[in-house]
mmCIF file of all heavy atoms in Angstrom:
data_model
loop_
_atom_site.group_PDB
_atom_site.id
_atom_site.type_symbol
_atom_site.label_atom_id
_atom_site.label_comp_id
_atom_site.label_asym_id
_atom_site.label_seq_id
_atom_site.Cartn_x
_atom_site.Cartn_y
_atom_site.Cartn_z
ATOM 1 N N VAL A 5 -11.035 7.273 -42.536
ATOM 2 C CA VAL A 5 -10.817 6.344 -41.426
ATOM 3 C C VAL A 5 -9.920 6.974 -40.360
ATOM 4 O O VAL A 5 -10.176 6.905 -39.165
ATOM 5 C CB VAL A 5 -10.196 5.020 -41.945
ATOM 6 C CG1 VAL A 5 -9.778 4.141 -40.763
ATOM 7 C CG2 VAL A 5 -11.181 4.292 -42.833
ATOM 8 N N GLN A 194 -18.702 -24.180 -9.821
ATOM 9 C CA GLN A 194 -17.682 -24.957 -10.519
ATOM 10 C C GLN A 194 -17.694 -24.692 -12.017
ATOM 11 O O GLN A 194 -18.737 -24.392 -12.613
ATOM 12 C CB GLN A 194 -17.885 -26.444 -10.228
ATOM 13 C CG GLN A 194 -17.731 -26.754 -8.740
ATOM 14 C CD GLN A 194 -17.808 -28.232 -8.423
ATOM 15 O OE1 GLN A 194 -17.601 -29.076 -9.285
ATOM 16 N NE2 GLN A 194 -18.113 -28.559 -7.176
ATOM 17 N N LEU A 604 -7.888 16.090 1.289
ATOM 18 C CA LEU A 604 -6.774 16.129 2.233
ATOM 19 C C LEU A 604 -7.107 15.261 3.437
ATOM 20 O O LEU A 604 -6.287 14.434 3.871
ATOM 21 C CB LEU A 604 -6.498 17.572 2.668
ATOM 22 C CG LEU A 604 -5.586 17.753 3.892
ATOM 23 C CD1 LEU A 604 -4.217 17.142 3.664
ATOM 24 C CD2 LEU A 604 -5.477 19.234 4.259
ATOM 25 N N GLU A 710 -0.207 1.601 18.215
ATOM 26 C CA GLU A 710 0.712 1.882 19.316
ATOM 27 C C GLU A 710 0.033 1.805 20.678
ATOM 28 O O GLU A 710 0.704 1.601 21.691
ATOM 29 C CB GLU A 710 1.337 3.260 19.133
ATOM 30 C CG GLU A 710 2.346 3.343 18.013
ATOM 31 C CD GLU A 710 3.564 2.455 18.252
ATOM 32 O OE1 GLU A 710 3.950 2.281 19.421
ATOM 33 O OE2 GLU A 710 4.107 1.914 17.272
#
Side-chain angles (χ1 to χ4, degrees):
V5 172
Q194 298 185 21
L604 166 59
E710 288 297 327

